[in-house]
Amino acid sequence: MLVNGEMWIRGPIGTGAEARVTLAGCRTALVIVPTLTAGTRLLDIVPLLESDHRVQVVFTVPHTTDQWPGVEEFVRARHGLLMPWAQAVHHTFDLVLAASHRHLEQIRGPVLLVGHGAGTMKSYLYSRKAETPALPATGLDRELLTYRGRILPSALALATEEEREALGSLCPEALPVAVVAGDICLDRMIDGGRFREHYRRALGVKPRRRLVTISSTWSTDSVFGRVPGLCKAILDALPATRYSVAAVLHPNVWTVHGRRQVTAWLSDCVEAGLRLIPPDHGWQATMVASDWVIGDHGSTTAYAAAIGCPVTMAAEPGDRLRPGSIADLVREAAPTLEAGPLPAQEEAAIRRRERLSAVIGAAISSRPGQAAGILRSAMYRLLGLPEPECPPMVPPLPVPLPVEE
């Protein structure tokens, strides 16, 4: 069937599905992937239920007039069963997993909404889309969580108790569906510490060498936006006999500019030894493998700080940061990159890392090590199924696969 220009799939749900399936009676869970950022976060969560024979997981990429490129390719590369958006909005699901507020009002079924970065609340004081003076944006605002008077998520996963308190002021009607779950991405990165040497070998970091990673979010305020030559400068300044250098760029850098263009911009660095990490191939493991991160106000830098990696700030958006946000805390506690010898600045970051890790770790999660269990319980409650007796199984972080020359 062709609807709105999309060919519907003959999948495990919908009219006639009972004649097509091999495993009958499954509850259906829909994973909404509007952006690559949301997709990578949801892939932290999907393994908590997809091995259950009672559950069928399907993916969909919203088709609108404003679509991020490359998202369908991302889902297909992970071999998820991809359902056209026009078909998804005509079906009622037993569970909907989302890491973005976008399009939730169009989908039918109980929604579990999680954040897609460090913390549920935004680090920018105002929305990036605000072209005129606007009210501060938090990520927990009523206009994001409600539609025509109804609460969109059936379960709203928060990272900290502070976020629950903020929700009580910003959208108190959503408090009954809120659950403080912690941060599954941080939990996976901390657990990944046991594979640190494996990740370093995958990155080609030789023994006794130190790995320096440049971490950039997106936008003109980011490291890559403000200092596009930083990777080359770091490569030139550090002796290759003692240091290896990697770069992790926000998924939106890749999706907006295109993989070919980003790779071309950094081709001289890659030729000089830079480990350029694609957005879907191991940024978390790269942070675990790092000895020093030079970053900005993005979530990746915050996660590095939280797991105990020394951090130095190379860019930040000034008064555009929300006071008290995670990015603001990183800015306050981490040293700033300056002109001068890098080894001395690395030592300064090392001296501050213990305090930085404690502050940022607490700001990212109030339930350290517990996110998988809390989120799985919430999903099975919405599915209306008894939770498996075995502990939740979370796979190790993907091994980093740098872009080749």
Side-chain angles (χ1 to χ4, degrees), residues 28 41 43 178 184 192 208 211 224-227 267 323 334 349 357 373:
T28 57
R41 175 51 55 93
L43 287 180
I184 193 167
R208 293 182 294 280
L211 176 62
F224 193 58
R226 287 192 175 183
V227 198
S267 58
S357 176

Side-chain angles (χ1 to χ4, degrees), residues 118 123 215 293-307 309-316 321-336 352 355-357 359-361 363-364:
S123 287
S215 165
V293 168
I294 301 174
D296 54 23
H297 53 285
S299 290
T300 304
T301 304
Y303 281 121
I307 64 174
C309 189
V311 166
T312 297
M313 294 287 282
E316 50 92 2
L321 282 185
R322 181 174 58 82
S325 66
I326 291 172
D328 186 47
L329 294 175
V330 175
R331 175 175 62 180
E332 289 294 320
T336 300
R352 295 200 194 184
R355 177 177 176 274
L356 180 65
S357 176
V359 169
I360 305 306
I364 291 178

Side-chain angles (χ1 to χ4, degrees), residues 62 140 171 226 243 253 279 305 342-343 373 379 399:
L140 297 178
C171 187
R226 287 192 175 183
Y243 289 90
V253 179
L342 290 177
M379 288 190 287
V399 173

